Amino acid sequence: QVQLVESGGGLVQAGGSLRVSCGASGRTASIYAMGWFRQAPGKEREFVAAISRIGSTFYGDSVKGRFTISRDNAKNTVFLQMNSLKPEDTAVYYCAATGAVAVTYQARYDYWGQGAQVTVSS
């Protein structure tokens, strides 16, 4: 089993930056990739970014060029650096972990964090 604990999130003005973190514990050797999804009220959960164990990164189209995902394998921690934030980025951001290679698909993720609220004001 894998447990994920998120930290960060908060309120930021449009154009600002924020970083959220996610620490993994348990059977972390089974994790192939960690990713971030987000869900705004009334909307479907959306893929944001993912990073594989070997360092390959993937981004959703809406955040490319603005968000950066990184990972500290020694600490079993993944980070999402969010820059140039827009009001439409407002959502609950969920950290997730998967042992599969299809890292952009929600159904492939077996473990989820509790979510971190990110609110971007106009």
Side-chain angles (χ1 to χ4, degrees), residues 14-87:
S17 298
L18 200 64
R19 187 171 79 161
V20 289
S21 303
C22 177
S25 61
R27 291 184 57 84
T28 57
S30 68
I31 299 173
Y32 175 75
M34 296 182 68
W36 293 91
F37 293 78
R38 67 186 183 185
Q39 188 167 23
K43 296 184 179 180
E44 189 173 308
R45 191 168 296 183
E46 174 190 22
F47 172 75
V48 175
I51 185 166
S52 74
R53 184 168 289 274
I54 62 172
S56 299
T57 57
F58 307 85
Y59 296 94
D61 289 340
S62 64
V63 306
K64 288 179 180 177
R66 299 188 298 120
F67 290 11
T68 302
I69 189 169
S70 61
R71 184 178 182 182
D72 184 337
N73 286 332
K75 297 182 178 180
N76 297 309
T77 301
V78 67
F79 307 92
L80 183 68
Q81 178 68 44
M82 300 177 284
N83 298 327
S84 301
L85 283 162
K86 305 174 181 179

Side-chain angles (χ1 to χ4, degrees), residues 13-15 84-91 118-122:
Q13 287 185 284
S84 301
L85 283 162
K86 305 174 181 179
E88 49 263 46
D89 295 318
T90 295
V118 173
T119 302
V120 184
S121 62
S122 300

